[in-house]
Amino acid sequence: MRAGGPWAEAIRQGLIWGGVAVFLAMVGMVDTFAERQIVAGVISLGLLLLVLTALGVGYQVARRAGGPVAAVLLRGALAGAVAGVLVAALVWVASVVNLRAMFVSATPRLFALLSFGRGPAGTHLILLGWALGGLVGAAAALLGGAWRRPLFAGLTWVLVVGLFQEVVQLVLARTRAGSAVQMLLFSTEGLLPRGALIIFALAAGGSALWAWSHPATRRWSEALPSSRQRALRALSLTLIILLVLLVPVAAGPFLSQVFVLVGVFALLGLGLNVVVGFAGLLDLGYVAFFAIGAYTMGLLTSTGQHGIAGMSFWAAIPVTMAASLVAGVILGIPVLRIRGDYLAIVTLGFGEIIRLLVLSDALRPWLGGSQGVLSIPKPAIGGFEFRGPEQLYYIVVAGCLLVIFVATRLRDSRLGRAWMAVREDEDVAEAMGINLVNVKLLAFAIGAAFGGLSGAIFAVMIGSVFPHSFQLLISINVLALIIVGGMGSIPGVVVGSLFLVGLPELFREFAEYRFLVYGAALVVMMQLRPEGLLPAAIVRRELHAAEEPVAPPLPAEPAEVRPASDG
Amino acid sequence: MPRGWLQRISIVDLYLWAFRLVVLFVLIYGTVGTVRAARYGPDVWMDLLVFGLSQGSIYALIALGYTMVYGILRMINFAHSEVFMSGAYVGYYVAAAFGRSGYLDRNPLVSLLVVLAVAMTTSAVVALLVERIAYRPLRGAPRLVPLITAIGASFFLQYTFRGFFGSGFQAYPEAAVLRGKLVVAGIPMLRTQAVVIVASVVMLLVLYLFVMRTRTGTAMRAVSEDMEAAALMGIDVDRVIAITFFVGGAMAGAAGLLYALVFKQVHFFMGFIPGIKAFTAAVLGGIGNIPGAMLGGVFLGLFESVGPILVLDGLGIVAPYQLRDVIAFTMLVMVLIFRPSGILGERLAAKKA
């Protein structure tokens, strides 16, 4: 606890969160997101952002310091009010100075939103609103888990459905029963308050039911004989696979396109994960292999002027992967003796060199310069053509499954252990007899091959290859999804790409801010949760080694199951 | 002795030697080709040299920030290129205001000095904030952690500026005094180039004196030598680190203004390429080494200005100037691979690289 006691801490938190609110407003997120209605006519995403900030400050303050309920609530309200002061100050400044001359996002609409439409005259409302938000946030923190969890689940689901209502409606409208549900929940304006209530009730109820039944079902499944347990696991796996396979049928072309993109990035992430997550070699030029894969595929299969072989997709895939593999070795050898930060910069340099070369006029006769390689045919088996995203989806899924399988096996192999040893300490690993040259080169080459596969699929998906698709930002994007998912964790990569690639695609207003959010996510994750959302077990242990108590003494009485949650 | 040497050589060594030879061959072949073709007169070369010199002095200013931070924390401050951008960008608004009111032409010296002060302050404050918020909580974390944080901070800053000020290019106003050419010692150059070179040299001198002659400078050198020992001697390490970021940021801000004077526009992504090049310059001069950064900057500026025509033109490559950045990046890669200790080759061994 810092000096100054809980009240000073509340003011400090209020200032920080107020600063966040002002930042969100000035960077344009509040204004841009105001167009997206969560519940039609009731709350927009822009407003929600502010509400969440207000709730957040109260929650944070309440979690930081306990004490009597009244004091905690009061501190929450105080912190909220302090944050409100900053917002009110911004509104006041905007009414005196023309901020718009400098800040593009300082629109009249933004200030109307911030001040409930009253401008500086609404100062008392702003303060009151923020104090109330802080109070409610603090109250939420005081609630027991049995109440808080269903509440959060309900609100989250309303938020998710509200955010992605276009997609939800698109999916619902595909079947007749779905259309009925759509009529119930949505109007042409968007999610109805009625719909929001229904979703909230369902989700909150579901969450409560889960909390109530989960220990029981778990005990039941654990009591089963092991053969039955295995059967159960196989059954659930089959169900998941079936669901995955049915996605395009249910989702339609638009969503399938999003999933294809998610898959392409998941492939990239799996490849980079081998290099960064397993072997600990930070590669910022990973996009180079994506580009090499895409261009190789383009050149081999294109029917346009740059095509050289006119191969089919299936024949070209192994060649593409082999080419990327070789490229991985060629670019890998010179950087073998470089470590850490320097490695990141060198690989970044390689990535840029490749992009600039591809873009240059010097190589235009072969690679098409900025015009790129055009008319890449879609793959086909027999008479069946993988024409659109709904069909390409299966190729991506097959690729992902293959790569996940290979990556998992590699991780658990002797080579995987060698990678981890190199990641932990190169010198010690070498002393233990690990051949650094081979091990590192294999990491580069295998990672590159996966990246090449991803590039090949990407080329087919777009139907052409342009140098502009291979910016440094791709590498950063892939790195971000690995970090967020959890370095070295294979499910983490998939979840990371669902979040960091899928979300921005579905939620277009967000696309403008995606790199802002990625940057913030990298910084925040490194401070709060460096192991990622779905960490690999070993990384988590390593990063939290200092915090873990050394083998806590076992409690004398049999460990209790979580306190019964009958509320 | 030779036998032992032969046995120790590996495939990797052979590969690296081949790599060196290829680059050397390209370099010599291209240069000879260009010189023999003699398509460019001395005035062209002179222009290129002056341009390279002014470019290089800007790189040198940015490189100082990289080098000082690396010297102390052993980390590459990826966000430094955005520190550079932020100074140029915020300076732009002051300059534009002066430009609109006509003050820029009435009193160019004062207004440019004010813009310079604004740019330097902005950059210094941004650098300080990044250090305080992003890096300080991570002291002692595994090496990848601050590096990833720095990449994140870099993107966060870029897109913050994009959100604040929009995604377009903003045209920097031009002072009438800075238009046109002048001749110094028989060498014709643009006035902006002269200003850039003079300003950078002054700034570099001031910084050098600051680091070498003041108490704070001594403390900085002590911390970069051995952080723990410095702390034991009663130096407030956190404060020294903050000052380092502040000073490095201020230099980057100055560089931002000079860069904007030359290229006459600002953009939220403008920091990336100069940032990478300045980093190259820092490595070239031996990272952690202040005079080295200056030398490296100038050398890189000259080489990338002269290089495309000198080397690539002779190879018969179309539009060699497009490949300017390739030359800089190749140089970066070559230096990092073959001589990570830089040209000046100061103390720096495996433990740091």
Side-chain angles (χ1 to χ4, degrees):
Chain A
M1 195 75 247
R2 271 161 213 277
W7 293 92
E9 174 70 11
I11 293 180
R12 214 176 67 92
Q13 291 290 336
L15 288 175
I16 293 176
W17 286 74
V20 170
V22 170
F23 178 83
L24 289 176
M26 294 315 284
V27 89
M29 282 174 108
V30 173
D31 188 43
T32 312
F33 292 178
E35 277 163 30
R36 173 75 63 145
Q37 295 288 321
I38 297 290
V39 179
V42 179
I43 189 168
S44 70
L45 184 59
L47 190 58
L48 184 72
L49 219 54
L50 296 174
V51 172
L52 284 180
T53 319
L55 292 176
V57 64
Y59 189 80
Q60 174 85 340
V61 166
R63 292 300 289 264
R64 280 282 170 101
V69 171
V72 171
L73 290 181
L74 210 57
R75 278 203 296 268
L78 171 70
V82 170
V85 169
L86 292 189
V87 175
L90 175 67
V91 171
W92 182 78
V93 168
S95 71
V96 182
V97 192
N98 176 20
L99 283 179
R100 198 138 190 218
M102 204 165 158
F103 296 95
V104 286
S105 319
T107 58
R109 188 173 66 174
L110 170 69
F111 294 108
L113 192 73
L114 288 178
S115 63
F116 303 96
R118 305 236 182 142
T123 304
H124 59 287
L125 281 182
I126 300 177
L127 293 184
L128 209 65
W130 279 84
L132 191 69
L135 186 79
V136 174
L142 289 177
L143 282 178
W147 283 99
R148 200 168 62 213
R149 236 170 281 132
L151 196 67
F152 276 20
L155 290 177
T156 313
W157 275 100
V158 173
L159 176 65
V160 168
V161 174
L163 262 185
F164 303 113
Q165 45 187 300
E166 286 155 22
V167 179
V168 173
Q169 293 202 51
L170 216 64
V171 172
L172 284 178
R174 286 171 71 85
T175 58
R176 190 169 298 166
S179 304
V181 179
Q182 185 189 5
M183 298 293 279
L184 182 67
L185 299 181
F186 298 96
S187 71
T188 46
E189 320 268 272
L191 184 61
L192 290 168
R194 175 177 74 196
L197 277 180
I198 295 175
I199 293 166
F200 179 82
L202 283 180
S207 161
L209 196 69
W210 169 255
W212 172 73
S213 68
H214 183 57
T217 33
R218 187 140 157 217
R219 246 170 294 152
W220 171 78
S221 72
E222 272 168 9
L224 286 176
S226 65
S227 64
R228 285 288 199 73
Q229 272 191 36
R230 220 174 299 138
L232 206 65
R233 225 171 294 146
L235 188 72
S236 48
L237 197 68
T238 323
L239 267 179
I240 290 175
I241 290 179
L242 263 181
L243 271 181
V244 168
L245 287 183
L246 283 178
V247 161
V249 180
F254 170 68
L255 262 187
S256 303
Q257 173 69 33
V258 173
F259 276 112
V260 170
L261 208 62
V262 168
V264 165
F265 272 88
L267 275 176
L268 277 176
L270 288 164
L272 188 60
N273 193 35
V274 170
V275 187
V276 179
F278 293 172
L281 308 163
L282 185 56
D283 183 349
L284 289 185
Y286 191 64
V287 68
F289 304 120
F290 188 52
I292 288 169
Y295 267 95
T296 314
M297 177 53 81
L299 293 178
L300 288 178
T301 62
S302 169
T303 53
Q305 72 178 109
H306 295 295
I308 48 170
M311 287 161 96
S312 80
F313 173 79
W314 309 106
I317 276 277
V319 183
T320 306
M321 287 184 73
S324 319
L325 198 105
V326 171
V329 173
I330 291 177
L331 296 189
I333 291 180
V335 302
L336 280 175
R337 290 176 187 165
I338 304 175
R339 295 182 185 191
D341 303 13
Y342 277 21
L343 178 71
I345 298 273
V346 173
T347 48
L348 187 152
F350 275 141
E352 282 296 300
I353 289 175
I354 295 222
R355 185 179 69 82
L356 288 167
L357 282 181
V358 167
L359 188 60
S360 71
D361 284 345
L363 294 178
R364 181 191 280 271
W366 299 279
L367 301 176
S370 55
Q371 251 99 69
V373 178
L374 305 175
S375 37
I376 299 170
K378 301 284 183 213
I381 301 181
F384 180 74
E385 197 190 7
F386 291 82
R387 222 172 320 114
E390 280 156 296
Q391 291 84 37
L392 284 172
Y393 173 87
Y394 292 104
I395 293 188
V396 172
V397 168
C400 281
L401 287 180
L402 175 77
V403 168
I404 287 176
F405 175 74
V406 174
T408 318
R409 302 291 294 170
L410 278 173
R411 183 194 59 195
D412 299 337
S413 69
R414 200 184 161 79
L415 179 60
R417 284 171 208 293
W419 280 336
M420 263 159 237
V422 170
R423 183 182 72 198
E424 302 310 318
D425 191 324
E426 238 171 69
D427 299 325
V428 173
E430 192 169 23
M432 300 310 279
I434 290 174
N435 183 338
L436 284 187
V437 173
N438 291 353
V439 164
K440 283 184 171 184
L441 269 188
L442 274 171
F444 273 118
I446 292 171
F450 290 173
L453 175 64
S454 177
I457 295 179
F458 180 76
V460 172
M461 179 187 100
I462 304 281
S464 37
V465 190
F466 307 107
H468 300 287
S469 313
F470 307 106
Q471 311 252 353
L472 170 75
L473 288 177
I474 303 275
S475 299
I476 300 296
N477 204 334
V478 178
L479 182 69
L481 73 88
I482 291 183
I483 304 283
V484 169
M487 252 198 272
S489 148
I490 292 171
V493 172
V494 178
V495 172
S497 58
L498 269 175
F499 273 98
L500 294 194
V501 182
L503 286 191
E505 286 301 316
L506 293 180
F507 171 20
R508 276 291 166 191
E509 288 92 340
F510 178 73
E512 204 172 316
Y513 295 99
R514 71 196 276 179
F515 286 103
L516 182 74
V517 175
Y518 291 178
L522 287 186
V523 174
V524 172
M525 290 297 278
M526 283 299 117
Q527 301 206 350
L528 301 182
R529 214 180 145 84
E531 72 272 27
L533 292 179
L534 278 183
I538 182 162
V539 177
R540 179 174 40 202
R541 243 181 290 141
E542 174 190 319
L543 283 165
H544 288 281
E547 296 159 26
E548 270 169 28
V550 185
L554 286 170
E557 70 268 44
E560 232 176 80
V561 194
R562 251 186 280 152
S565 46
D566 44 45
Chain B
M1 204 55 194
R3 248 187 84 218
W5 176 80
L6 257 179
Q7 274 167 351
R8 264 187 285 118
I9 211 159
S10 69
I11 302 279
V12 178
D13 289 315
L14 288 178
Y15 183 94
L16 290 179
W17 273 107
F19 197 69
R20 279 191 185 107
L21 286 179
V22 168
V23 171
L24 205 66
F25 175 76
V26 167
L27 210 69
I28 292 173
Y29 185 83
T31 311
V32 170
T34 308
V35 171
R36 282 182 56 186
R39 271 200 286 150
Y40 303 97
D43 48 332
V44 176
W45 292 113
M46 210 34 122
D47 277 354
L48 286 177
L49 280 178
V50 172
F51 179 76
L53 197 62
S54 74
Q55 225 17 37
S57 43
I58 294 178
Y59 294 153
L61 280 178
I62 311 175
L64 290 173
Y66 281 110
T67 238
M68 294 194 318
V69 167
Y70 196 94
I72 289 187
L73 289 179
R74 306 272 174 269
M75 78 172 267
I76 298 172
N77 180 12
F78 249 96
H80 194 62
S81 49
E82 272 54 62
V83 167
F84 158 81
M85 176 273 291
S86 64
Y89 219 121
V90 174
Y92 156 76
Y93 283 99
V94 181
F98 282 144
R100 272 197 303 277
S101 67
Y103 190 73
L104 185 63
D105 286 331
R106 279 202 306 280
N107 213 335
L109 186 65
V110 175
S111 39
L112 281 179
L113 281 179
V114 171
V115 177
L116 180 68
V118 169
M120 287 176 76
T121 319
T122 312
S123 288
V125 169
V126 170
L128 215 54
L129 281 178
V130 171
E131 193 272 327
R132 183 69 195 79
I133 296 173
Y135 301 153
R136 191 176 296 180
L138 299 175
R139 299 273 157 77
R143 277 194 81 141
L144 270 188
V145 169
L147 183 59
I148 291 168
T149 304
I151 296 170
S154 165
F155 275 82
F156 181 78
L157 283 173
Q158 266 174 27
Y159 283 84
T160 297
F161 272 74
R162 186 180 191 267
F164 280 170
F165 305 125
S167 58
F169 285 87
Q170 318 269 16
Y172 234 78
E174 215 181 343
V177 217
L178 293 182
R179 269 177 226 137
K181 290 196 162 195
L182 82 178
V183 178
V184 181
I187 304 165
M189 57 175 78
L190 295 176
R191 289 193 180 187
T192 44
Q193 288 171 340
V195 170
V196 166
I197 294 171
V198 171
S200 318
V201 169
V202 170
M203 215 90 68
L204 293 171
L205 265 179
V206 170
L207 183 89
Y208 191 73
L209 290 178
F210 171 75
V211 174
M212 288 306 176
R213 294 288 156 83
T214 63
R215 268 183 86 81
T216 323
T218 314
M220 278 164 69
R221 280 182 289 137
V223 172
S224 95
E225 202 66 46
D226 186 334
M227 199 183 279
E228 271 121 55
L232 289 177
M233 293 296 122
I235 294 174
D236 183 347
V237 172
D238 274 345
R239 195 170 144 265
V240 170
I241 292 175
I243 290 176
T244 308
F245 272 85
F246 190 87
V247 174
M251 291 294 142
L257 172 64
L258 297 178
Y259 192 83
L261 285 183
V262 175
F263 290 96
K264 300 191 177 59
Q265 59 184 15
V266 287
H267 183 243
F268 75 96
F269 203 64
M270 68 185 272
F272 176 66
I273 294 280
I276 293 283
K277 288 185 182 164
F279 175 76
T280 312
V283 178
L284 211 55
I287 199 153
N289 175 338
I290 290 176
M294 303 175 186
L295 248 170
V298 172
F299 182 75
L300 179 69
L302 286 176
F303 192 75
E304 78 162 15
S305 165
V306 175
I309 289 188
L310 184 65
V311 178
L312 298 181
D313 199 60
L315 296 172
I317 285 176
V318 202
Y321 221 64
Q322 276 183 341
L323 296 179
R324 204 164 77 108
D325 291 347
V326 173
I327 290 205
F329 282 121
T330 311
M331 200 140 134
L332 168 72
V333 168
M334 299 287 294
V335 173
L336 285 181
I337 293 174
F338 294 116
R339 202 167 162 77
S341 54
I343 307 174
L344 292 196
E346 242 204 321
R347 58 195 171 101
L348 187 118
K351 66 170 174 160
K352 287 181 193 169

